[in-house]
Amino acid sequence: MEPLNVEHAGRTLRGVLHLPHPNPAPAPAVVLCHGFGGNRIGAGNDFVLLARLLAAQGIACHRFDFAAFGESDGDPADFSVSDQASQLKAVLAQLERNRAIDPDRISVLGFSMGALVAVLAAGDRPLRSLALWAPAGGRLNLPFWEDDWFRDQIREHGRADCNGIAFGQAFLDDLPGVDQFAAARRHQGPVLLAGGTEDGLMRAELIDPYREVWGDRLEEHWIEGMGHGFGTLENRDRMLELSVAFLLRTI
């Protein structure tokens, strides 16, 4: 594991790169994208575990913090989904220039809002494959984000508080223009979509359009009784197992 930071719009996006040892350079690579308010460690250390599992199978893995989260620079008031997609594309571009990485064999795995961002990036540049853990709904979730409680907080304090995570007007202004399904139509590779049967982000109106766009290129896995978080070590290990197996087949 070694530091790999990326400069984007005057901010340092801090991350680490796990390389296989020995490294059969150039190696295929996966970029991991955390969710809203998360970081490159992942919930319950899952991104660290996943990176180690992939490296042991000969796949490099880059974990990074989006701006304003984890250890990366940035102000939460400036956070938006489109800006995160731009950050991810900058990370991918730098990874392509790394001599240890095969630029034609790069995939992305994202959780929740990170999965939404992964789809948007895949619509703008080719990726080998996508692995999506419970992708966020983007503008389809506007009724939740546009609640008067959040808007009143932004008006009064310049930021809103969502379970201890700050966001600002930039996020709300950006969200109506986010169209993940248009981006999904431009991604030509295989896709893993995995989540829990009790996860509100896995409801039909958020998932059916992906089924229509990707058809038989979409591989779905549902874990019975799991919500938006893993809930149990068994669920976490199952998600890691599914993801590693998919990436080994598709990268």
Side-chain angles (χ1 to χ4, degrees):
M1 185 177 75
E2 59 187 48
L4 179 60
N5 299 334
V6 175
E7 299 301 318
H8 179 270
R11 304 163 298 190
T12 299
L13 308 179
R14 293 178 173 83
V16 293
L17 177 65
H18 296 249
L19 290 171
H21 293 289
N23 180 19
V30 178
V31 177
L32 306 184
C33 299
H34 65 77
F36 177 68
N39 58 62
R40 65 180 184 263
I41 302 297
N45 215 38
D46 58 288
F47 274 11
V48 177
L49 296 173
L50 179 57
R52 291 171 178 169
L53 288 170
L54 290 169
Q57 295 290 335
I59 299 175
C61 191
H62 180 54
R63 303 181 285 113
F64 77 102
D65 296 327
F66 283 111
F69 297 109
E71 294 183 312
S72 289
D73 298 343
D75 186 336
D78 298 327
F79 151 70
S80 73
V81 171
S82 295
D83 184 47
Q84 286 196 337
S86 180
Q87 294 170 48
L88 174 55
K89 287 184 283 186
V91 168
L92 290 165
Q94 180 153 323
L95 204 59
E96 286 179 333
R97 296 191 293 269
N98 191 308
R99 293 183 179 180
I101 303 303
D102 183 344
D104 296 320
R105 298 179 66 194
I106 298 178
S107 296
V108 175
L109 179 148
F111 167 60
S112 192
M113 198 166 286
L116 171 65
V117 168
V119 175
L120 295 176
D124 288 340
R125 46 150 299 132
L127 292 173
R128 193 72 168 222
S129 59
L130 282 176
L132 310 176
W133 293 356
R139 66 185 182 190
L140 298 184
N141 280 343
L142 270 171
F144 171 80
W145 293 110
E146 290 186 323
D147 185 274
D148 288 342
W149 170 248
F150 291 144
R151 289 197 174 276
D152 289 346
Q153 289 183 70
I154 292 173
R155 191 178 302 111
E156 184 174 352
H157 305 292
R159 55 100 181 104
D161 180 345
C162 180
N163 297 320
I165 303 165
F167 68 91
Q169 189 64 43
F171 173 68
L172 297 181
D173 290 343
D174 173 69
L175 207 54
V178 172
D179 189 346
Q180 67 268 38
F181 304 122
R185 284 192 288 272
R186 297 191 292 272
H187 172 65
Q188 298 303 308
V191 182
L192 169 72
L193 196 156
T197 59
E198 303 306 309
D199 187 345
L201 290 184
M202 295 291 284
R203 61 187 188 271
E205 64 265 33
L206 303 183
I207 300 302
D208 283 348
Y210 287 130
R211 294 178 175 130
E212 295 170 8
V213 168
W214 288 322
D216 59 9
R217 289 187 289 119
L218 178 63
E219 179 179 322
E220 291 186 53
H221 290 278
W222 295 75
I223 296 181
E224 188 66 34
M226 189 175 79
H228 198 54
F230 296 130
T232 68
L233 293 177
E234 181 181 5
N235 290 343
R236 182 202 67 186
D237 292 346
R238 180 62 177 148
M239 288 286 279
L240 296 180
E241 177 186 10
L242 290 168
S243 301
V244 171
F246 170 80
L247 290 165
L248 284 171
R249 290 195 306 273
T250 62
I251 198 166

